[in-house]
Amino acid sequence: MAAQIQEIVDEIVAAMAQESERGDVATYIPGLANVSPAHFGMAVIGADGSVALGGDAEQPFSIQSISKVFALTMALGKVGDQLWRRVGREPSGNAFNSIVQLEAEHGIPRNPFINAGAIVVADVNLSGHMPREAIGELIRFIRFLADDETIVVDDAIARSETETGFRNVALANYMRAFGNIRHSVELVTGVYFHQCAISMSCLQLARAGRYLMLDGLQPEAGRVVSARRARRINALMLTCGHYDASGDFAFRIGMPGKSGVGGGILAVVPGKASIAVWSPGLNASGNSQLGTLALERLAQATGWSVFSARA
Ligand code: GLN
């Protein structure tokens, strides 16, 4: 099994190196603009602990919106289902940074994986803390999940986004006007920008995602969340993890997945695998062009899908 997956990963890495349509690297965050679109990495961790790595699987990159999965898990640990009074659970059908639904829906973001929703989650994680402590808590949580103490925030990316994140500041201000942001906009966006600037490799991300493949268990340390909570987070990743392309991602790949504009995707096959891919070029929806293609090939080769009895 493990050798077979490694063979599939090797084939995918070779195929991705030949691809000329690699998408466009995000430039709206200046710190991300200089990353080469030539990168491609992939890590697949099986439920049995087997690890298959390919390409730049051990090179850290900016996880960006993938952090929303870990921040959501932390916020649910703090306030439980009360979170759903302030954030919805429906796909938005809009771009990740859209503001259009917020007025009609009274400042309640559609889901925790669009920017507006993640900013509310950051506000929850900030309660009772200074921003530095809230970020420290999230980093410690991610290090614990990955069992890796080397994971850090890339301060240059955080600074770059703080200087240019006008849309996110607008979203936070708009929600504050509805009473759905409780701390100052500067503090909340500070937490949000720093969580997006966490650097991780595919291997570290796939390790951090293992609790979602194992019904809430982290293999080294035990229970992180209940089986029900893991299942629900997976459901949100499937329906909302790729913004307005979430339906297409479910159709093509059929796994819960969360993308980030750094070009990473974390994907989960419950009971089977925790997977991370990275290629910085993005498609029109802001999701990794080759990362999506690579996951599609992996799904085809293994039969892995939450919609299939095979595998
Ligand atoms: N930090 C990015 C932003 O707020 C995250 C977006 C993403 O990864 N889709 O714009």
mmCIF file of all heavy atoms in Angstrom, residues 217-265:
data_model
loop_
_atom_site.group_PDB
_atom_site.id
_atom_site.type_symbol
_atom_site.label_atom_id
_atom_site.label_comp_id
_atom_site.label_asym_id
_atom_site.label_seq_id
_atom_site.Cartn_x
_atom_site.Cartn_y
_atom_site.Cartn_z
ATOM 1 N N LEU A 217 -8.647 12.134 16.437
ATOM 2 C CA LEU A 217 -7.475 11.673 17.202
ATOM 3 C C LEU A 217 -6.173 12.130 16.555
ATOM 4 O O LEU A 217 -6.001 12.005 15.343
ATOM 5 C CB LEU A 217 -7.449 10.143 17.276
ATOM 6 C CG LEU A 217 -8.523 9.460 18.117
ATOM 7 C CD1 LEU A 217 -8.393 7.947 17.988
ATOM 8 C CD2 LEU A 217 -8.398 9.871 19.584
ATOM 9 N N GLN A 218 -5.266 12.638 17.369
ATOM 10 C CA GLN A 218 -3.914 12.922 16.902
ATOM 11 C C GLN A 218 -3.093 11.710 17.319
ATOM 12 O O GLN A 218 -3.099 11.350 18.505
ATOM 13 C CB GLN A 218 -3.424 14.222 17.569
ATOM 14 C CG GLN A 218 -2.220 14.854 16.932
ATOM 15 C CD GLN A 218 -0.923 14.368 17.557
ATOM 16 O OE1 GLN A 218 -0.895 13.345 18.232
ATOM 17 N NE2 GLN A 218 0.142 15.095 17.333
ATOM 18 N N PRO A 219 -2.394 11.043 16.363
ATOM 19 C CA PRO A 219 -1.788 9.744 16.671
ATOM 20 C C PRO A 219 -0.834 9.749 17.864
ATOM 21 O O PRO A 219 -0.839 8.806 18.651
ATOM 22 C CB PRO A 219 -1.034 9.386 15.393
ATOM 23 C CG PRO A 219 -1.696 10.166 14.323
ATOM 24 C CD PRO A 219 -2.223 11.414 14.957
ATOM 25 N N GLU A 220 -0.018 10.785 18.039
ATOM 26 C CA GLU A 220 0.950 10.771 19.145
ATOM 27 C C GLU A 220 0.294 11.093 20.483
ATOM 28 O O GLU A 220 0.684 10.556 21.508
ATOM 29 C CB GLU A 220 2.085 11.781 18.930
ATOM 30 C CG GLU A 220 3.104 11.368 17.872
ATOM 31 C CD GLU A 220 2.717 11.810 16.477
ATOM 32 O OE1 GLU A 220 1.933 12.777 16.354
ATOM 33 O OE2 GLU A 220 3.181 11.189 15.497
ATOM 34 N N ALA A 221 -0.696 11.981 20.495
ATOM 35 C CA ALA A 221 -1.170 12.518 21.776
ATOM 36 C C ALA A 221 -2.603 12.162 22.129
ATOM 37 O O ALA A 221 -3.035 12.384 23.249
ATOM 38 C CB ALA A 221 -1.027 14.033 21.773
ATOM 39 N N GLY A 222 -3.356 11.627 21.188
ATOM 40 C CA GLY A 222 -4.725 11.249 21.528
ATOM 41 C C GLY A 222 -5.759 12.249 21.036
ATOM 42 O O GLY A 222 -5.539 12.948 20.048
ATOM 43 N N ARG A 223 -6.858 12.369 21.790
ATOM 44 C CA ARG A 223 -8.008 13.108 21.279
ATOM 45 C C ARG A 223 -7.773 14.615 21.212
ATOM 46 O O ARG A 223 -7.323 15.224 22.166
ATOM 47 C CB ARG A 223 -9.233 12.795 22.146
ATOM 48 C CG ARG A 223 -10.501 13.404 21.599
ATOM 49 C CD ARG A 223 -11.748 12.625 21.967
ATOM 50 N NE ARG A 223 -11.774 11.251 21.473
ATOM 51 C CZ ARG A 223 -12.007 10.897 20.196
ATOM 52 N NH1 ARG A 223 -12.216 11.817 19.278
ATOM 53 N NH2 ARG A 223 -12.011 9.623 19.851
ATOM 54 N N VAL A 224 -8.099 15.180 20.053
ATOM 55 C CA VAL A 224 -8.032 16.630 19.858
ATOM 56 C C VAL A 224 -9.439 17.201 19.899
ATOM 57 O O VAL A 224 -9.712 18.194 20.567
ATOM 58 C CB VAL A 224 -7.394 16.964 18.488
ATOM 59 C CG1 VAL A 224 -7.373 18.467 18.254
ATOM 60 C CG2 VAL A 224 -5.995 16.394 18.385
ATOM 61 N N VAL A 225 -10.339 16.576 19.146
ATOM 62 C CA VAL A 225 -11.756 16.976 19.137
ATOM 63 C C VAL A 225 -12.578 15.688 19.104
ATOM 64 O O VAL A 225 -12.056 14.613 18.799
ATOM 65 C CB VAL A 225 -12.114 17.860 17.909
ATOM 66 C CG1 VAL A 225 -11.402 19.195 17.957
ATOM 67 C CG2 VAL A 225 -11.823 17.136 16.591
ATOM 68 N N SER A 226 -13.871 15.822 19.373
ATOM 69 C CA SER A 226 -14.737 14.641 19.314
ATOM 70 C C SER A 226 -14.870 14.187 17.866
ATOM 71 O O SER A 226 -14.624 14.958 16.927
ATOM 72 C CB SER A 226 -16.118 14.987 19.876
ATOM 73 O OG SER A 226 -16.746 15.933 19.014
ATOM 74 N N ALA A 227 -15.284 12.936 17.687
ATOM 75 C CA ALA A 227 -15.491 12.412 16.332
ATOM 76 C C ALA A 227 -16.532 13.260 15.603
ATOM 77 O O ALA A 227 -16.408 13.545 14.416
ATOM 78 C CB ALA A 227 -15.929 10.957 16.408
ATOM 79 N N ARG A 228 -17.545 13.691 16.326
ATOM 80 C CA ARG A 228 -18.604 14.489 15.700
ATOM 81 C C ARG A 228 -18.053 15.832 15.198
ATOM 82 O O ARG A 228 -18.375 16.288 14.113
ATOM 83 C CB ARG A 228 -19.737 14.722 16.703
ATOM 84 C CG ARG A 228 -20.877 15.507 16.098
ATOM 85 C CD ARG A 228 -22.073 15.531 17.002
ATOM 86 N NE ARG A 228 -21.930 16.570 18.001
ATOM 87 C CZ ARG A 228 -22.962 17.113 18.653
ATOM 88 N NH1 ARG A 228 -24.180 16.688 18.421
ATOM 89 N NH2 ARG A 228 -22.759 18.044 19.542
ATOM 90 N N ARG A 229 -17.185 16.425 16.013
ATOM 91 C CA ARG A 229 -16.634 17.726 15.593
ATOM 92 C C ARG A 229 -15.721 17.558 14.380
ATOM 93 O O ARG A 229 -15.752 18.368 13.457
ATOM 94 C CB ARG A 229 -15.906 18.389 16.759
ATOM 95 C CG ARG A 229 -15.404 19.777 16.407
ATOM 96 C CD ARG A 229 -15.125 20.616 17.632
ATOM 97 N NE ARG A 229 -16.340 21.018 18.310
ATOM 98 C CZ ARG A 229 -16.369 21.499 19.557
ATOM 99 N NH1 ARG A 229 -15.244 21.644 20.240
ATOM 100 N NH2 ARG A 229 -17.506 21.865 20.110
ATOM 101 N N ALA A 230 -14.914 16.492 14.370
ATOM 102 C CA ALA A 230 -14.038 16.257 13.211
ATOM 103 C C ALA A 230 -14.885 16.080 11.954
ATOM 104 O O ALA A 230 -14.575 16.631 10.886
ATOM 105 C CB ALA A 230 -13.176 15.022 13.458
ATOM 106 N N ARG A 231 -15.964 15.335 12.087
ATOM 107 C CA ARG A 231 -16.841 15.087 10.936
ATOM 108 C C ARG A 231 -17.443 16.396 10.429
ATOM 109 O O ARG A 231 -17.533 16.648 9.228
ATOM 110 C CB ARG A 231 -17.945 14.136 11.389
ATOM 111 C CG ARG A 231 -18.702 13.478 10.274
ATOM 112 C CD ARG A 231 -19.623 12.413 10.848
ATOM 113 N NE ARG A 231 -20.729 13.000 11.582
ATOM 114 C CZ ARG A 231 -21.303 12.453 12.658
ATOM 115 N NH1 ARG A 231 -20.859 11.318 13.127
ATOM 116 N NH2 ARG A 231 -22.313 13.050 13.260
ATOM 117 N N ARG A 232 -17.830 17.253 11.372
ATOM 118 C CA ARG A 232 -18.447 18.520 10.972
ATOM 119 C C ARG A 232 -17.442 19.464 10.311
ATOM 120 O O ARG A 232 -17.778 20.176 9.365
ATOM 121 C CB ARG A 232 -19.050 19.191 12.204
ATOM 122 C CG ARG A 232 -20.301 18.489 12.687
ATOM 123 C CD ARG A 232 -20.770 19.087 13.991
ATOM 124 N NE ARG A 232 -22.158 18.762 14.248
ATOM 125 C CZ ARG A 232 -22.843 19.249 15.276
ATOM 126 N NH1 ARG A 232 -22.255 20.064 16.131
ATOM 127 N NH2 ARG A 232 -24.112 18.933 15.439
ATOM 128 N N ILE A 233 -16.213 19.473 10.826
ATOM 129 C CA ILE A 233 -15.184 20.326 10.189
ATOM 130 C C ILE A 233 -14.918 19.818 8.771
ATOM 131 O O ILE A 233 -14.806 20.595 7.822
ATOM 132 C CB ILE A 233 -13.904 20.375 11.050
ATOM 133 C CG1 ILE A 233 -14.197 21.074 12.392
ATOM 134 C CG2 ILE A 233 -12.772 21.110 10.315
ATOM 135 C CD1 ILE A 233 -13.087 20.945 13.434
ATOM 136 N N ASN A 234 -14.850 18.495 8.615
ATOM 137 C CA ASN A 234 -14.681 17.932 7.267
ATOM 138 C C ASN A 234 -15.832 18.346 6.353
ATOM 139 O O ASN A 234 -15.624 18.663 5.174
ATOM 140 C CB ASN A 234 -14.604 16.403 7.339
ATOM 141 C CG ASN A 234 -13.230 15.918 7.787
ATOM 142 O OD1 ASN A 234 -12.231 16.587 7.558
ATOM 143 N ND2 ASN A 234 -13.181 14.764 8.416
ATOM 144 N N ALA A 235 -17.044 18.334 6.898
ATOM 145 C CA ALA A 235 -18.211 18.711 6.081
ATOM 146 C C ALA A 235 -18.093 20.159 5.613
ATOM 147 O O ALA A 235 -18.384 20.481 4.447
ATOM 148 C CB ALA A 235 -19.496 18.515 6.881
ATOM 149 N N LEU A 236 -17.623 21.027 6.506
ATOM 150 C CA LEU A 236 -17.458 22.442 6.119
ATOM 151 C C LEU A 236 -16.355 22.597 5.081
ATOM 152 O O LEU A 236 -16.454 23.418 4.164
ATOM 153 C CB LEU A 236 -17.143 23.292 7.353
ATOM 154 C CG LEU A 236 -18.315 23.485 8.315
ATOM 155 C CD1 LEU A 236 -17.840 24.034 9.641
ATOM 156 C CD2 LEU A 236 -19.360 24.414 7.690
ATOM 157 N N MET A 237 -15.289 21.801 5.242
ATOM 158 C CA MET A 237 -14.214 21.873 4.239
ATOM 159 C C MET A 237 -14.734 21.435 2.870
ATOM 160 O O MET A 237 -14.403 22.026 1.848
ATOM 161 C CB MET A 237 -13.026 20.995 4.656
ATOM 162 C CG MET A 237 -12.229 21.590 5.815
ATOM 163 S SD MET A 237 -11.033 20.436 6.510
ATOM 164 C CE MET A 237 -9.796 20.353 5.219
ATOM 165 N N LEU A 238 -15.558 20.400 2.860
ATOM 166 C CA LEU A 238 -16.077 19.924 1.581
ATOM 167 C C LEU A 238 -16.977 20.965 0.926
ATOM 168 O O LEU A 238 -16.890 21.211 -0.272
ATOM 169 C CB LEU A 238 -16.860 18.614 1.761
ATOM 170 C CG LEU A 238 -17.319 18.047 0.419
ATOM 171 C CD1 LEU A 238 -16.224 17.207 -0.210
ATOM 172 C CD2 LEU A 238 -18.588 17.244 0.558
ATOM 173 N N THR A 239 -17.854 21.594 1.743
ATOM 174 C CA THR A 239 -18.851 22.484 1.141
ATOM 175 C C THR A 239 -18.347 23.923 0.968
ATOM 176 O O THR A 239 -18.867 24.646 0.128
ATOM 177 C CB THR A 239 -20.141 22.509 2.000
ATOM 178 O OG1 THR A 239 -19.785 22.799 3.362
ATOM 179 C CG2 THR A 239 -20.857 21.168 1.958
ATOM 180 N N CYS A 240 -17.353 24.327 1.759
ATOM 181 C CA CYS A 240 -16.944 25.739 1.757
ATOM 182 C C CYS A 240 -15.441 25.948 1.588
ATOM 183 O O CYS A 240 -14.988 27.093 1.524
ATOM 184 C CB CYS A 240 -17.349 26.417 3.072
ATOM 185 S SG CYS A 240 -19.053 26.146 3.582
ATOM 186 N N GLY A 241 -14.648 24.887 1.522
ATOM 187 C CA GLY A 241 -13.189 25.021 1.590
ATOM 188 C C GLY A 241 -12.519 25.635 0.379
ATOM 189 O O GLY A 241 -11.360 26.038 0.452
ATOM 190 N N HIS A 242 -13.254 25.688 -0.734
ATOM 191 C CA HIS A 242 -12.666 26.260 -1.959
ATOM 192 C C HIS A 242 -13.498 27.424 -2.500
ATOM 193 O O HIS A 242 -13.561 27.660 -3.695
ATOM 194 C CB HIS A 242 -12.466 25.175 -3.016
ATOM 195 C CG HIS A 242 -11.262 24.327 -2.761
ATOM 196 N ND1 HIS A 242 -11.211 23.410 -1.734
ATOM 197 C CD2 HIS A 242 -10.053 24.295 -3.371
ATOM 198 C CE1 HIS A 242 -10.020 22.844 -1.740
ATOM 199 N NE2 HIS A 242 -9.291 23.356 -2.700
ATOM 200 N N TYR A 243 -14.169 28.139 -1.551
ATOM 201 C CA TYR A 243 -14.935 29.335 -1.918
ATOM 202 C C TYR A 243 -15.973 29.008 -2.981
ATOM 203 O O TYR A 243 -16.651 27.992 -2.885
ATOM 204 C CB TYR A 243 -13.976 30.463 -2.358
ATOM 205 C CG TYR A 243 -12.805 30.578 -1.420
ATOM 206 C CD1 TYR A 243 -11.525 30.252 -1.809
ATOM 207 C CD2 TYR A 243 -13.015 30.946 -0.096
ATOM 208 C CE1 TYR A 243 -10.464 30.323 -0.931
ATOM 209 C CE2 TYR A 243 -11.958 31.020 0.798
ATOM 210 C CZ TYR A 243 -10.691 30.704 0.372
ATOM 211 O OH TYR A 243 -9.659 30.768 1.250
ATOM 212 N N ASP A 244 -16.009 29.848 -4.037
ATOM 213 C CA ASP A 244 -17.032 29.644 -5.062
ATOM 214 C C ASP A 244 -16.672 28.498 -6.011
ATOM 215 O O ASP A 244 -17.404 28.230 -6.963
ATOM 216 C CB ASP A 244 -17.303 30.947 -5.827
ATOM 217 C CG ASP A 244 -16.056 31.713 -6.198
ATOM 218 O OD1 ASP A 244 -14.984 31.496 -5.582
ATOM 219 O OD2 ASP A 244 -16.144 32.547 -7.108
ATOM 220 N N ALA A 245 -15.567 27.822 -5.757
ATOM 221 C CA ALA A 245 -15.225 26.629 -6.551
ATOM 222 C C ALA A 245 -15.379 25.360 -5.706
ATOM 223 O O ALA A 245 -14.895 24.298 -6.091
ATOM 224 C CB ALA A 245 -13.801 26.749 -7.079
ATOM 225 N N SER A 246 -16.060 25.456 -4.566
ATOM 226 C CA SER A 246 -16.186 24.291 -3.672
ATOM 227 C C SER A 246 -16.969 23.164 -4.350
ATOM 228 O O SER A 246 -16.643 21.987 -4.191
ATOM 229 C CB SER A 246 -16.866 24.696 -2.357
ATOM 230 O OG SER A 246 -16.060 25.639 -1.676
ATOM 231 N N GLY A 247 -17.992 23.517 -5.110
ATOM 232 C CA GLY A 247 -18.772 22.489 -5.806
ATOM 233 C C GLY A 247 -17.910 21.774 -6.834
ATOM 234 O O GLY A 247 -17.938 20.541 -6.937
ATOM 235 N N ASP A 248 -17.125 22.534 -7.566
ATOM 236 C CA ASP A 248 -16.268 21.938 -8.594
ATOM 237 C C ASP A 248 -15.200 21.046 -7.958
ATOM 238 O O ASP A 248 -14.880 19.978 -8.482
ATOM 239 C CB ASP A 248 -15.618 23.054 -9.427
ATOM 240 C CG ASP A 248 -14.989 22.506 -10.694
ATOM 241 O OD1 ASP A 248 -15.708 21.841 -11.466
ATOM 242 O OD2 ASP A 248 -13.771 22.690 -10.885
ATOM 243 N N PHE A 249 -14.668 21.468 -6.810
ATOM 244 C CA PHE A 249 -13.654 20.669 -6.117
ATOM 245 C C PHE A 249 -14.279 19.347 -5.640
ATOM 246 O O PHE A 249 -13.675 18.278 -5.777
ATOM 247 C CB PHE A 249 -13.075 21.458 -4.936
ATOM 248 C CG PHE A 249 -11.885 20.802 -4.287
ATOM 249 C CD1 PHE A 249 -10.607 20.964 -4.817
ATOM 250 C CD2 PHE A 249 -12.033 20.027 -3.150
ATOM 251 C CE1 PHE A 249 -9.501 20.346 -4.222
ATOM 252 C CE2 PHE A 249 -10.937 19.407 -2.545
ATOM 253 C CZ PHE A 249 -9.673 19.567 -3.090
ATOM 254 N N ALA A 250 -15.501 19.407 -5.118
ATOM 255 C CA ALA A 250 -16.188 18.179 -4.683
ATOM 256 C C ALA A 250 -16.446 17.274 -5.887
ATOM 257 O O ALA A 250 -16.281 16.055 -5.823
ATOM 258 C CB ALA A 250 -17.498 18.528 -3.981
ATOM 259 N N PHE A 251 -16.820 17.869 -6.999
ATOM 260 C CA PHE A 251 -17.124 17.111 -8.225
ATOM 261 C C PHE A 251 -15.863 16.428 -8.764
ATOM 262 O O PHE A 251 -15.884 15.250 -9.108
ATOM 263 C CB PHE A 251 -17.690 18.090 -9.265
ATOM 264 C CG PHE A 251 -18.056 17.474 -10.578
ATOM 265 C CD1 PHE A 251 -19.305 16.884 -10.757
ATOM 266 C CD2 PHE A 251 -17.171 17.503 -11.645
ATOM 267 C CE1 PHE A 251 -19.647 16.330 -11.984
ATOM 268 C CE2 PHE A 251 -17.505 16.950 -12.869
ATOM 269 C CZ PHE A 251 -18.753 16.357 -13.039
ATOM 270 N N ARG A 252 -14.760 17.177 -8.811
ATOM 271 C CA ARG A 252 -13.535 16.627 -9.410
ATOM 272 C C ARG A 252 -12.751 15.738 -8.457
ATOM 273 O O ARG A 252 -12.119 14.770 -8.873
ATOM 274 C CB ARG A 252 -12.626 17.775 -9.875
ATOM 275 C CG ARG A 252 -13.156 18.466 -11.122
ATOM 276 C CD ARG A 252 -12.360 19.715 -11.461
ATOM 277 N NE ARG A 252 -10.954 19.441 -11.737
ATOM 278 C CZ ARG A 252 -10.028 20.391 -11.878
ATOM 279 N NH1 ARG A 252 -10.374 21.666 -11.771
ATOM 280 N NH2 ARG A 252 -8.785 20.076 -12.121
ATOM 281 N N ILE A 253 -12.744 16.081 -7.154
ATOM 282 C CA ILE A 253 -11.858 15.404 -6.217
ATOM 283 C C ILE A 253 -12.638 14.608 -5.159
ATOM 284 O O ILE A 253 -12.236 13.509 -4.791
ATOM 285 C CB ILE A 253 -10.894 16.421 -5.575
ATOM 286 C CG1 ILE A 253 -9.886 16.856 -6.656
ATOM 287 C CG2 ILE A 253 -10.123 15.833 -4.401
ATOM 288 C CD1 ILE A 253 -9.770 18.295 -6.884
ATOM 289 N N GLY A 254 -13.720 15.175 -4.667
ATOM 290 C CA GLY A 254 -14.564 14.417 -3.733
ATOM 291 C C GLY A 254 -13.963 14.219 -2.358
ATOM 292 O O GLY A 254 -14.227 13.216 -1.701
ATOM 293 N N MET A 255 -13.133 15.159 -1.925
ATOM 294 C CA MET A 255 -12.559 15.087 -0.575
ATOM 295 C C MET A 255 -12.775 16.439 0.112
ATOM 296 O O MET A 255 -12.682 17.470 -0.547
ATOM 297 C CB MET A 255 -11.034 14.895 -0.636
ATOM 298 C CG MET A 255 -10.552 13.683 -1.369
ATOM 299 S SD MET A 255 -8.734 13.760 -1.522
ATOM 300 C CE MET A 255 -8.479 12.421 -2.696
ATOM 301 N N PRO A 256 -12.977 16.439 1.433
ATOM 302 C CA PRO A 256 -12.912 17.716 2.150
ATOM 303 C C PRO A 256 -11.543 18.344 1.893
ATOM 304 O O PRO A 256 -10.525 17.642 1.963
ATOM 305 C CB PRO A 256 -13.044 17.298 3.620
ATOM 306 C CG PRO A 256 -13.715 15.954 3.582
ATOM 307 C CD PRO A 256 -13.242 15.294 2.313
ATOM 308 N N GLY A 257 -11.523 19.626 1.577
ATOM 309 C CA GLY A 257 -10.235 20.268 1.284
ATOM 310 C C GLY A 257 -10.278 21.733 1.641
ATOM 311 O O GLY A 257 -11.339 22.360 1.642
ATOM 312 N N LYS A 258 -9.131 22.292 1.991
ATOM 313 C CA LYS A 258 -9.057 23.734 2.263
ATOM 314 C C LYS A 258 -7.854 24.293 1.540
ATOM 315 O O LYS A 258 -6.727 23.811 1.700
ATOM 316 C CB LYS A 258 -8.926 24.008 3.777
ATOM 317 C CG LYS A 258 -8.910 25.482 4.124
ATOM 318 C CD LYS A 258 -10.283 26.116 3.963
ATOM 319 C CE LYS A 258 -10.224 27.606 3.631
ATOM 320 N NZ LYS A 258 -10.009 27.897 2.198
ATOM 321 N N SER A 259 -8.106 25.331 0.759
ATOM 322 C CA SER A 259 -7.029 25.935 -0.033
ATOM 323 C C SER A 259 -6.570 27.248 0.595
ATOM 324 O O SER A 259 -7.261 27.812 1.442
ATOM 325 C CB SER A 259 -7.543 26.223 -1.443
ATOM 326 O OG SER A 259 -8.473 27.282 -1.381
ATOM 327 N N GLY A 260 -5.409 27.720 0.162
ATOM 328 C CA GLY A 260 -4.920 29.040 0.559
ATOM 329 C C GLY A 260 -4.277 29.718 -0.640
ATOM 330 O O GLY A 260 -3.805 29.020 -1.554
ATOM 331 N N VAL A 261 -4.238 31.047 -0.636
ATOM 332 C CA VAL A 261 -3.664 31.762 -1.786
ATOM 333 C C VAL A 261 -2.137 31.632 -1.869
ATOM 334 O O VAL A 261 -1.541 32.091 -2.831
ATOM 335 C CB VAL A 261 -4.048 33.264 -1.862
ATOM 336 C CG1 VAL A 261 -5.506 33.461 -2.210
ATOM 337 C CG2 VAL A 261 -3.686 34.006 -0.588
ATOM 338 N N GLY A 262 -1.523 30.992 -0.880
ATOM 339 C CA GLY A 262 -0.103 30.653 -1.014
ATOM 340 C C GLY A 262 0.083 29.473 -1.972
ATOM 341 O O GLY A 262 1.213 29.111 -2.310
ATOM 342 N N GLY A 263 -1.028 28.845 -2.382
ATOM 343 C CA GLY A 263 -0.957 27.725 -3.321
ATOM 344 C C GLY A 263 -1.025 26.361 -2.667
ATOM 345 O O GLY A 263 -0.851 25.330 -3.315
ATOM 346 N N GLY A 264 -1.282 26.332 -1.365
ATOM 347 C CA GLY A 264 -1.404 25.048 -0.660
ATOM 348 C C GLY A 264 -2.844 24.571 -0.616
ATOM 349 O O GLY A 264 -3.778 25.377 -0.708
ATOM 350 N N ILE A 265 -3.010 23.260 -0.503
ATOM 351 C CA ILE A 265 -4.327 22.661 -0.240
ATOM 352 C C ILE A 265 -4.121 21.527 0.765
ATOM 353 O O ILE A 265 -3.230 20.696 0.593
ATOM 354 C CB ILE A 265 -4.989 22.074 -1.508
ATOM 355 C CG1 ILE A 265 -5.144 23.132 -2.607
ATOM 356 C CG2 ILE A 265 -6.361 21.458 -1.173
ATOM 357 C CD1 ILE A 265 -5.672 22.590 -3.942
#
